[in-house]
């Protein structure tokens, strides 16, 4: 019987990937499609992809699949064939990473979820398939330049902090679930305007644009393929790039550069910086922005307090963490009281 989960310590797996010289390709894709048995589909995909060396984070639910992963380049065609053989994923668009060091993921994790994106919506109350009009990079540039057009970032605050489209509305929210009511309130007097929504790869806007149409917004558009596809088209077609800064990504890279501008600051010293990291103290693990100088000064930690903890023997660190899992701040995403600077450079 095939092993359908990882059995190797994650620290070991991370070290293997970091020291590996394998040529890998980072990809992402999504598809809304009714799956009668997500668990069976999950098992089939894991058993198919593990032998191909696929690594990544894949969510499967009754409503479809949302995947971010990396594949050895020698197995990309075999991976595409496995998608085609599912039927509903045949020809699905694969968003290819803009900057890729081949070390985006270190384990294959295929999980069954209630939804492939936590949106807080009751799908039975509106037509989730009635999404906004999809725009190419050219279409986005043209429409966003017209007077009265409003461009809305449907990502979280720590994503837009390091990169966003010029003059975009960027909600100060921690989750996509929080963003929907905030955006609706911000634009409640703009229901006749052209509204362009965008996110990393497009999946959040599929639901968000349909919801906005359901709520009475007349002219709703979405950036097809999100920032990743936009950047690819801009580069290939020699178009004006209206995105400034970095595109935050949810893997080991934590970001890929779309333009040379640095629009955020180091959270510890305030100098221009857009490099995200996680605090090395496993009892904290806060996601924050840190420059090279502060990384050296604080030993990769978010504070002197955490620096003193990581200097302790590993066993003593474990003792300090016992019973304190609720204090981990990885999901605080840059809202810790330890952060001294935040905002634009």
């Amino acid at each position: 019987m095939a092993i359908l989960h990882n059995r190797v310590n994650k620290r070991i797996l991370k070290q293997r990937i970091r020291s590996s010289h394998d040529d890998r390709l980072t990809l992402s894709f999504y598809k809304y499609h009714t799956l009668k048995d997500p668990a069976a589909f999950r098992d089939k995909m894991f058993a198919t992809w593990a032998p191909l060396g696929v690594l990544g984070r894949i969510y499967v639910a009754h409503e479809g699949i949302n995947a971010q992963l990396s594949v050895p380049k020698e197995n990309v065609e075999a991976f595409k064939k496995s998608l085609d053989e599912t039927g509903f994923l045949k020809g699905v668009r694969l968003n290819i990473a803009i900057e890729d060091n081949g070390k985006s993921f270190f384990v294959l994790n295929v999980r069954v979820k209630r939804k492939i994106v936590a949106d807080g919506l009751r799908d039975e109350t509106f037509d989730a398939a009635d999404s906004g009009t999809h725009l190419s990079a050219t279409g986005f540039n043209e429409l966003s330049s017209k007077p009265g057009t409003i461009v809305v970032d449907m990502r979280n605050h720590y994503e837009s902090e390091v990169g966003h489209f010029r003059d975009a509305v960027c909600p100060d929210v921690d989750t996509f679930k929080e963003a929907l009511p905030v955006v609706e309130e911000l634009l409640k007097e703009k229901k006749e305007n052209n509204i362009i929504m965008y996110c990393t790869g497009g999946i959040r806007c599929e639901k968000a644009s349909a919801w906005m149409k359901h709520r009475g917004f007349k002219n709703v558009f979405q950036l097809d393929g999100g920032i990743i596809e936009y950047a690819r088209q801009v580069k290939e077609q020699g178009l004006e790039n209206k995105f400034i800064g970095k595109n935050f990504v949810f893997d080991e890279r934590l970001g890929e550069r779309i333009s040379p501008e640095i629009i955020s600051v180091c959270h510890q010293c305030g100098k221009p910086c857009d490099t995200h990291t996680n605090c090395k103290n496993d009892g904290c693990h806060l996601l924050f922005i840190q420059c090279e100088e502060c990384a050296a000064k604080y030993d990769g930690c978010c504070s002197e307090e955490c620096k003193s903890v990581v200097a302790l023997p590993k066993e003593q660190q474990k003792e300090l963490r016992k019973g304190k899992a609720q204090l981990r701040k990885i999901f605080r995403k840059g809202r810790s009281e330890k952060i001294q600077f935040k905002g634009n450079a």
Side-chain angles (χ1 to χ4, degrees):
M1 181 177 178
I3 298 174
L4 299 178
H5 61 274
N6 168 58
R7 289 184 174 180
V8 182
N9 182 280
K10 288 184 178 180
R11 290 184 182 276
I12 296 175
L13 293 173
K14 278 189 176 183
Q15 186 55 44
R16 285 181 184 174
I17 287 297
R18 287 168 180 167
S19 60
S20 172
H21 298 291
D22 292 346
D23 202 5
R24 304 182 68 89
L25 189 66
T26 299
L27 309 166
S28 61
F29 68 90
Y30 68 90
K31 184 76 172 182
Y32 281 102
H33 176 83
T34 301
L35 292 173
K36 293 182 178 179
D37 191 344
F41 182 77
R42 177 264 177 200
D43 292 351
K44 180 180 179 181
M45 291 298 94
F46 192 103
T48 301
W49 292 339
L52 295 177
V54 174
L55 305 173
R57 184 190 307 108
I58 298 95
Y59 294 153
V60 176
H62 283 291
E63 66 177 359
I65 182 171
N66 181 17
Q68 297 88 41
L69 46 85
S70 77
V71 188
K73 286 190 176 180
E74 62 184 10
N75 291 335
V76 168
E77 291 307 313
F79 173 74
K80 289 180 179 179
K81 182 180 178 182
S82 76
L83 296 179
D84 290 344
E85 289 174 348
T86 67
F88 79 95
L89 290 175
K90 183 176 177 62
V92 69
R93 182 185 55 232
L94 300 176
N95 285 332
I96 302 174
I98 305 303
E99 285 190 329
D100 193 2
N101 59 8
K103 305 181 188 305
S104 52
F105 295 97
F106 60 89
V107 66
L108 176 59
N109 188 352
V110 189
R111 297 178 60 187
V112 173
K113 306 275 283 186
R114 191 177 72 83
K115 284 193 170 188
I116 54 177
V117 175
D119 52 35
L121 298 175
R122 293 171 56 199
D123 291 352
E124 68 273 13
T125 64
F126 72 107
D127 184 1
D130 185 24
S131 59
T133 302
H134 289 62
L135 295 175
S136 64
T138 297
F140 176 92
N141 283 359
E142 291 176 353
L143 186 59
S144 64
S145 298
K146 292 185 177 181
T149 296
I150 302 171
V151 178
V152 184
D153 194 322
M154 292 307 299
R155 301 172 304 152
N156 307 323
H157 76 91
Y158 54 90
E159 297 175 81
S160 60
E161 182 180 8
V162 295
H164 53 74
F165 281 101
R166 297 183 190 278
D167 302 319
V169 174
C170 300
D172 185 23
V173 296
D174 291 344
T175 66
F176 177 53
K177 181 179 178 180
E178 293 175 24
L180 288 168
V182 169
V183 169
E184 187 178 348
E185 177 63 22
L186 287 172
L187 304 182
K188 63 182 179 181
E189 305 298 329
K190 307 288 185 180
K191 291 193 173 182
E192 301 294 330
N193 291 60
N194 289 325
I195 308 292
I196 306 177
M197 315 182 89
Y198 73 89
C199 55
T200 306
I203 187 170
R204 284 177 272 190
C205 293
E206 291 287 346
K207 281 284 188 74
S209 61
W211 175 253
M212 294 292 278
K213 291 177 69 175
H214 170 69
R215 298 296 291 173
F217 290 83
K218 306 300 182 184
N219 305 297
V220 183
F221 301 82
Q222 66 183 90
L223 181 57
D224 191 29
I227 298 164
I228 299 173
E229 179 63 12
Y230 175 87
R232 185 189 69 79
Q233 291 181 20
V234 162
K235 183 177 180 180
E236 289 186 355
Q237 299 172 31
L239 305 175
E240 176 189 0
N241 179 18
K242 292 195 172 189
F243 189 93
I244 53 174
K246 264 187 176 180
N247 177 34
F248 182 94
V249 291
F250 293 87
D251 58 52
E252 295 295 305
R253 295 172 299 152
L254 292 177
E256 49 188 14
R257 185 157 300 286
I258 307 299
S259 82
E261 296 96 337
I262 296 177
I263 66 170
S264 53
V265 299
C266 173
H267 286 165
Q268 291 173 311
C269 72
K271 69 177 289 187
C273 178
D274 56 12
T275 301
H276 273 103
T277 189
N278 286 111
C279 179
K280 283 188 178 180
N281 176 12
D282 287 336
C284 173
H285 213 52
L286 175 75
L287 176 72
F288 69 109
I289 298 173
Q290 186 179 54
C291 68
E292 291 183 2
E293 290 82 358
C294 287
K297 178 180 178 180
Y298 292 98
D299 195 19
C301 295
C302 69
S303 63
E304 289 288 355
E305 176 187 357
C306 285
K307 178 181 177 181
S308 65
V309 171
V310 299
L312 298 172
K314 293 292 185 182
E315 289 304 315
Q316 194 170 344
Q317 291 184 45
K318 289 181 181 179
E319 286 296 318
L320 289 174
R321 294 198 299 269
K322 282 186 177 179
K324 296 183 180 180
Q326 73 277 9
L327 297 180
R328 283 168 58 87
K329 300 181 181 67
I330 184 171
F331 298 116
R332 294 281 295 280
K333 309 294 189 188
R335 294 204 191 272
S336 171
E337 64 281 355
K338 298 177 182 179
I339 286 176
Q340 301 298 312
F341 299 88
K342 186 171 172 61
N344 295 332

